[in-house]
Amino acid sequence: MRHGLNRRGMPGRGLPRRGFLGLAALPGPGLPHLARGAPEKSVAATEKSFVFVPQAMPASLDPIATPSFATRTAALAVFETLYGIDARLNPMPQMVEQHRMEEDGKFWVFQLRPGLLFHDGTKVTARDCVASLRRWMRRDRAGHALGARMDVIEAVDDLTLTLRLAKPQKQIPLMLTKSQLSPPVIMPERFADTSTGTPVEKIIGSGPFRLANLAWRPGDDLDLIRFEQYEPRLDSSSFMGGRRVALVDRVLWRTKDDPVRALHDGLADWVEWLPPDPAGDGAAGGGVVVRTLDEIGNYALLRFNTRRGPTANPRIRQAILAGVDQVAVMEAVFGSNTSRFTAPAGLFPPASEFYSGTGGDRTDAKQSPRAIKARLKAAGYNDEPIALINPVDDMIHTRLTNAVIDELTQIGLAVDERKLDGRAFEAWRRTADMPEGGDWSMFCDSLPAADNFDGFAVSAGPAPSGGLWPGWPDDAVAARLRDAWIDAADLRGKRAISGQLQEQVFTTAAFVPLGLWYPATAWRSSLTGQQKGPFPVFWDVARS
């Protein structure tokens, strides 16, 4: 039975246009340096810690080499970026004190805040920033776009770096807030020369927290310690933007077999993701608070192997795209709790100013299972097994996968389910595009929806480098449209191209959008100060 459509009126729908041409959230050229000083006594750090239970422990702490949710969250407590982003996706200066744009956006000058220090006590310099940005440009989709338009990036002196572009680009600060899973973190130059596929030797950043154990390896407990020499900005704090003040001495990352029980027993203080069912939503009470901090959400998708097997046939992929009901999938995971999801979604989320209804008939599951079966047969599908990877110890994605299996079975596909635990799944992702991994057809994944709000990092065109985007198509048309989106001079032009880009992506059918979902998080009431935003940040969090 097909469900009626439901679209959640998410708070993000009212997101302001993010300084599209005016960069209103940023300091303009020629602004005086802000006075600097120590934090006020009212926010002095306490001698306290709290236990944080992440949705998964990180496989590494280098977000360039390992673009994953867990790695990003840990790394962005330790590293800083030139620009942050606030809870409503506006870019804000972070390591940058001020910038100047010249030649209508072809030449940029960035001045770093004085006094920035790495955790080893060395000064942060423009040379470190240049080396770190070059590494990011080799790995990330938005970084690739910036690198392709760049003529020269160089350090003029210890606090000044310049960027000269072949074409005008007035949204450089917004590009430098991308991507959540491969953020342009700044590290010492000697580590930034590391290959993008190899985690750096030591995790040394300049953020408000540092690693307790520089010899940390996957499987170890992870302790983040307040960096005593960190000087926060003086402007107000909003998610990754502005003032960052560590109010506890230590954040202890730990796993728990039953995170909800651990909360109520006082063995955990903050659980990142609750189960997507009444057991999670009912965790409140007894000193436990349940909230949705992430009002932007995660973009769920069914990703195809477009290079080998039955899903290498674009007509089969197009039939599956038309046959999977996004609302049915989300309801199978979250039930009738529509505060936890938005569906359907296109290439851009419904709250994005670039959302387009173009090609919506391909994603709204208006065709009956009988019609989809006929399309599959006409496309040449002959009951070949469709190998679907199921990460069984991931409480969100295994449920998404199970819901997708139901949808695929309804439209007549023979599903060969491959169950993998977390370690095996990550190992598989690293080899999935190699010949020995060539027998897979699809798997469910999620991306930060914030990266799909515009064309800089949206899932279109060439895949990011590295082995974590297995089976992605070489779509030259989408690549050209995405370049045209980035180079368009005004909002009207970008909106027009957005519709064309979505049409092309759904013609290629590289993936099936499954909707947006919003994780519920929980913490003990003794913790206060949690910021709204797409993932947890630990500054401003205090424990009473």
Side-chain angles (χ1 to χ4, degrees):
M1 176 180 177
R2 294 288 157 187
H3 299 261
L5 299 182
N6 169 68
R7 181 170 294 159
R8 176 181 182 265
M10 61 178 282
R13 176 167 292 186
L15 289 170
R17 194 169 298 162
R18 294 172 291 167
F20 178 72
L21 293 177
L23 295 172
L26 302 174
L31 288 181
H33 288 289
L34 295 174
R36 302 181 60 78
E40 302 95 323
K41 291 182 180 178
S42 61
V43 292
T46 63
E47 294 293 327
K48 293 180 180 177
S49 65
F50 64 84
V51 174
F52 174 73
V53 181
Q55 53 88 16
M57 289 294 283
S60 91
L61 298 179
D62 178 354
I64 303 299
T66 310
S68 73
F69 285 158
T71 296
R72 166 215 59 195
T73 301
L76 286 176
V78 173
F79 293 106
E80 288 195 288
T81 52
L82 296 182
Y83 293 87
I85 198 163
D86 71 12
R88 299 179 72 81
L89 306 186
N90 296 297
M92 296 178 67
Q94 190 54 43
M95 300 177 78
V96 167
E97 181 86 346
Q98 58 185 6
H99 74 246
R100 185 172 74 252
M101 182 183 74
E102 299 178 359
E103 301 175 31
D104 199 35
K106 289 184 69 174
F107 186 69
W108 289 77
V109 180
F110 306 93
Q111 189 80 21
L112 298 179
R113 288 195 289 142
L116 294 173
L117 291 176
F118 285 119
H119 298 153
D120 62 0
T122 60
K123 292 182 179 180
V124 177
T125 70
R127 293 184 302 279
D128 300 308
C129 299
V130 168
S132 297
L133 290 178
R134 287 187 181 279
R135 186 171 188 250
W136 169 69
M137 289 176 194
R138 295 195 300 271
R139 180 67 156 182
D140 178 68
R141 193 188 295 276
H144 285 170
L146 179 55
R149 288 157 177 76
M150 184 182 71
D151 281 342
V152 178
I153 183 172
E154 60 184 350
V156 176
D157 57 40
D158 280 355
L159 293 180
T160 310
L161 60 148
T162 60
L163 179 64
R164 177 165 290 282
L165 302 169
K167 298 179 181 180
Q169 178 52 251
K170 296 183 179 180
Q171 288 189 283
I172 293 298
L174 183 57
M175 293 183 80
L176 290 175
T177 67
K178 306 288 181 177
S179 151
Q180 279 200 51
L181 296 187
S182 299
V185 295
I186 303 303
M187 59 183 64
E189 181 180 15
R190 65 187 185 277
F191 298 127
D193 290 334
T194 305
S195 163
T196 58
T198 303
V200 296
E201 180 183 346
K202 291 184 178 178
I203 303 300
I204 296 176
S206 61
F209 292 94
R210 62 180 177 85
L211 285 190
N213 176 18
L214 285 180
W216 181 90
R217 293 291 182 269
D220 294 346
D221 286 341
L222 176 62
D223 288 8
L224 304 177
I225 298 179
R226 180 170 58 94
F227 179 39
E228 296 278 358
Q229 294 171 278
Y230 181 77
E231 277 198 66
R233 299 184 65 90
L234 298 182
D235 40 355
S236 61
S237 176
S238 177
F239 184 50
M240 292 294 294
R243 183 178 177 82
R244 301 178 181 180
V245 180
L247 299 179
V248 294
D249 289 302
R250 194 176 293 252
V251 180
L252 310 172
W253 284 48
R254 299 292 186 267
T255 58
K256 301 293 180 182
D257 291 336
D258 187 340
V260 173
R261 173 57 59 189
L263 269 178
H264 284 277
D265 290 346
L267 301 177
D269 299 293
W270 186 354
V271 173
E272 182 179 7
W273 287 1
L274 291 177
D277 56 27
D281 295 335
V288 173
V289 177
V290 175
R291 293 283 187 274
T292 298
L293 296 176
D294 179 5
E295 296 178 342
I296 307 300
N298 295 303
Y299 184 102
L301 65 161
L302 174 64
R303 188 178 293 172
F304 291 122
N305 184 348
T306 68
R307 298 173 183 265
R308 289 182 290 272
T311 50
N313 181 337
R315 294 176 65 197
I316 289 178
R317 298 198 304 271
Q318 289 164 3
I320 295 172
L321 175 65
V324 173
D325 184 338
Q326 295 187 42
V327 175
V329 169
M330 285 291 146
E331 288 183 345
V333 178
F334 298 105
S336 60
N337 188 353
T338 56
S339 67
R340 297 288 298 277
F341 69 88
T342 296
L347 177 62
F348 299 93
S352 167
E353 59 196 332
F354 304 111
Y355 177 76
S356 173
T358 304
D361 57 314
R362 302 177 189 228
T363 62
D364 287 357
K366 296 177 180 178
Q367 300 182 45
S368 68
R370 181 176 180 179
I372 298 298
K373 289 177 182 178
R375 286 185 60 174
L376 287 168
K377 184 175 181 179
Y381 177 67
N382 193 29
D383 295 327
E384 299 95 332
I386 301 292
L388 187 150
I389 308 299
N390 190 347
V392 292
D393 57 359
D394 181 321
M395 63 181 172
I396 298 290
H397 292 98
T398 191
R399 297 184 194 213
L400 283 171
T401 303
N402 291 336
V404 165
I405 289 173
D406 288 343
E407 290 288 300
L408 299 180
T409 301
Q410 285 186 49
I411 61 175
L413 292 174
V415 178
D416 177 12
E417 182 183 3
R418 310 284 181 82
K419 296 183 178 181
L420 299 178
D421 63 22
R423 287 181 180 273
F425 181 71
E426 289 302 321
W428 168 79
R429 281 171 67 104
R430 288 192 291 271
T431 61
D433 215 23
M434 303 301 174
E436 61 269 24
D439 62 344
W440 69 279
S441 299
M442 58 183 76
F443 68 99
C444 290
D445 201 0
S446 290
L447 303 172
D451 278 352
N452 267 44
F453 266 71
D454 50 51
F456 291 121
V458 72
S459 301
S465 61
L468 297 182
W469 285 67
W472 195 257
D474 293 321
D475 190 341
V477 175
R480 287 195 297 270
L481 286 169
R482 184 168 165 271
D483 282 343
W485 188 100
I486 293 171
D487 294 332
D490 55 34
L491 181 62
R492 184 175 182 178
K494 289 185 184 293
R495 282 177 170 164
I497 295 167
S498 296
Q500 299 173 47
L501 185 57
Q502 175 165 287
E503 176 70 23
Q504 175 60 27
V505 167
F506 290 161
T507 297
T508 303
F511 62 89
V512 177
L514 299 176
L516 275 66
W517 58 275
Y518 311 91
T521 188
W523 58 84
R524 295 191 62 79
S525 57
S526 55
L527 286 188
T528 58
Q530 288 86 345
Q531 296 256 12
K532 286 195 172 184
F535 57 88
V537 296
F538 306 117
W539 42 87
D540 293 343
V541 178
R543 180 167 189 172
S544 60

